[in-house]
Amino acid sequence: MVALADFSPEVRAEVKQVREQVATLHEQLLKWNLVVWTAGNVSQRLRTADLMVIKPSGVRYEYLTPQSMVVTDLEGNVVDGTEAPSSDTASHAYIYRHMPDVYGVVHTHSTYATAWAATGKNIPCGLTMMGDEFGGPVPVGPFRLIGSEAIGKGVVETLEQYPHSPAVLMQNHGPFTVGKDAEAAVKAAAMTEEVAHTMWAASQLGDIIEIDPADIAKLNDRYQNVYGQH
């Protein structure tokens, strides 16, 4: 069995840094009301080795520390840590193996996004901010049972059909988001809940006016390539 001590000082230094980042980012899930009790998880993939850092299973957020974060390989095998890793570890690992540009994955059960997941419906693209952030609707992925890589496979297959979206609502389960690092994936989780809430409210008022795909493409291009600091 491979242990963290078998890796280079460079890798061990990155593990230390990423453990601190991932532990801190779990606090953001609480701040933005995206999780309750022990539900949900954040992971980040290393750049110096085929390893990832993920939340331990069933541990309350207030007890999380950098040291309690678990290091696994990209098959989900534990490399370092005293706790069992998240029950979603195999799915996070599958996503990293099959989406080489993804370095952060987040799963929550945020209320409104999960409500859309329970209906099996995409969140329709009725807001310019959705064009910006998601490049279209937030898609629903297939129903999959927890505990294997099946959820990760469903996420990957869905995002192949919606390549601009950083989010998938796994049917009857909840949102999974991806990003260039864990912070980007946490942002995507927060934005997913925001648009889920707003579009639910809009649906109570009347029919949602969906944005034309050509305009969505323009919105997404501007946001990804012009907006902000580059």
Side-chain angles (χ1 to χ4, degrees), residues 7-118:
F7 289 85
S8 70
E10 180 186 21
V11 172
R12 296 198 300 272
E14 188 184 8
V15 165
K16 181 177 185 295
Q17 179 185 30
V18 173
R19 273 178 153 153
E20 292 169 354
Q21 292 171 336
V22 171
T24 300
L25 285 167
H26 280 93
E27 297 173 6
Q28 294 296 311
L29 299 187
L30 291 173
K31 177 180 178 180
W32 296 101
N33 296 316
L34 303 180
V35 295
V36 296
W37 204 243
T38 64
N41 41 69
V42 177
S43 74
Q44 183 162 303
R45 177 183 178 180
L46 270 67
R47 296 184 180 274
T48 56
D50 286 336
L51 300 174
M52 68 179 189
V53 174
I54 193 166
K55 175 183 176 288
S57 178
V59 178
R60 284 164 51 181
Y61 283 82
E62 59 266 40
Y63 298 150
L64 295 179
T65 66
Q67 293 71 33
S68 66
M69 297 298 107
V70 184
V71 182
T72 76
D73 64 20
L74 297 190
E75 297 291 336
N77 301 305
V78 174
V79 171
D80 192 64
T82 59
E83 310 281 357
S86 166
S87 58
D88 290 311
T89 296
S91 286
H92 285 238
Y94 185 94
I95 294 168
Y96 290 131
R97 293 200 309 273
H98 291 84
M99 300 185 73
D101 293 334
V102 169
Y103 280 81
V105 177
V106 171
H107 170 50
T108 76
H109 296 276
S110 59
T111 302
Y112 287 89
T114 302
W116 284 93

Side-chain angles (χ1 to χ4, degrees), residues 144-165:
R144 293 288 186 270
L145 292 175
I146 303 167
S148 72
E149 62 183 29
I151 289 175
K153 185 176 181 181
V155 169
V156 171
E157 291 173 348
T158 304
L159 291 181
E160 287 175 348
Q161 301 174 57
Y162 294 86
H164 296 294
S165 178

